[in-house]
Amino acid sequence: NDNEGSILVEILSQKLEESDLRDQVEFFFMNDPQPLSDEDFEMDNDVEQVIFLCGKDRSLLTANAGPLTKAGVNLLGVLSMLLFAFLTVELRPNPDVFQGKNLFDLIRLAVPVFGSLVAVQLCHEAGHQVAAMQSNMTIGVPSILPSVATGVGGSITPLASPPRNVKNLFDFAISGPLVGYAASLALLVY
């Protein structure tokens, strides 16, 4: 029962705050990550809920890429958006339009495409940031993934602190695509 789970979380949170371990450990009340057995799935049995206890020092989890690597990946991401913008303009169905035109015209047509890609990606990440702030989650700086085919392959936004429950995780996950979708629609109408 969700109500009993909420009461348990409140009691455990209060006890942890009063203890000497408050700066060393944290816990989460969540659905058991083990997949349901076929029998449980067919019988529509509820997923067990578990208490997940972990240390607060997550430096080992986030120390996998240095600042130079992250900067390089972000630079490649921005360059792939720029390349996509130029290719979108250059490889459109009527290539005869550019005969006799100069590079300035190509840049003039590609900049709005590039700006649109950047704007949608920034709105997407802003959506995640707002949801994280509302849930008191701490997130890291997003890394833009390069993709020549689509301009941007998405982003990886690291969670510095885990969400307190599944609802917060869902809100964080869905907010970026929804805000990005709204920005895309706004640009389409514009």
Side-chain angles (χ1 to χ4, degrees):
N1 180 327
D2 285 338
N3 191 29
E4 292 171 350
S6 298
I7 293 170
L8 177 62
V9 167
E10 283 298 317
I11 293 171
L12 286 174
S13 295
Q14 182 181 11
K15 294 294 184 187
L16 185 60
E17 282 301 314
E18 296 168 358
S19 110
D20 295 338
L21 295 174
R22 70 178 166 270
D23 296 328
Q24 298 172 5
V25 297
E26 60 186 332
F27 73 93
F28 304 95
F29 188 66
M30 56 188 266
N31 290 337
D32 190 352
Q34 282 287 64
L36 288 175
S37 68
D38 290 341
E39 181 181 327
D40 286 337
F41 183 75
E42 290 171 4
M43 299 297 290
D44 199 25
N45 291 340
D46 289 334
V47 176
E48 295 282 328
Q49 293 189 312
V50 296
I51 295 175
F52 177 69
L53 181 70
C54 63
K56 284 192 173 183
D57 182 17
R58 287 187 211 81
S59 60
L60 295 175
L61 297 175
T62 58
N64 55 0
L68 191 59
T69 304
K70 288 182 181 182
V73 169
N74 279 320
L75 178 63
L76 285 174
V78 171
L79 290 175
S80 72
M81 284 192 274
L82 192 58
L83 180 62
F84 178 80
F86 279 109
L87 291 175
T88 300
V89 171
E90 183 62 30
L91 300 176
R92 56 189 192 290
N94 188 0
D96 298 333
V97 173
F98 262 131
Q99 288 183 348
K101 302 270 181 164
N102 59 23
L103 183 61
F104 178 74
D105 291 330
L106 177 65
I107 293 171
R108 183 179 53 81
L109 293 172
V111 165
V113 176
F114 176 71
S116 298
L117 288 170
V118 170
V120 169
Q121 190 63 34
L122 287 175
C123 288
H124 176 106
E125 294 306 324
H128 285 309
Q129 183 67 39
V130 168
M133 287 189 302
Q134 288 177 343
S135 301
N136 293 325
M137 292 169 44
T138 307
I139 61 173
V141 176
S143 296
I144 301 171
L145 301 178
S147 169
V148 177
T150 60
V152 65
S155 291
I156 295 176
T157 305
L159 296 175
S161 66
R164 292 306 265 165
N165 54 42
V166 175
K167 181 189 177 306
N168 289 350
L169 179 61
F170 177 79
D171 291 347
F172 173 77
I174 198 69
S175 62
L178 286 178
V179 173
Y181 181 70
S184 296
L185 286 177
L187 285 169
L188 180 66
V189 171
Y190 175 72

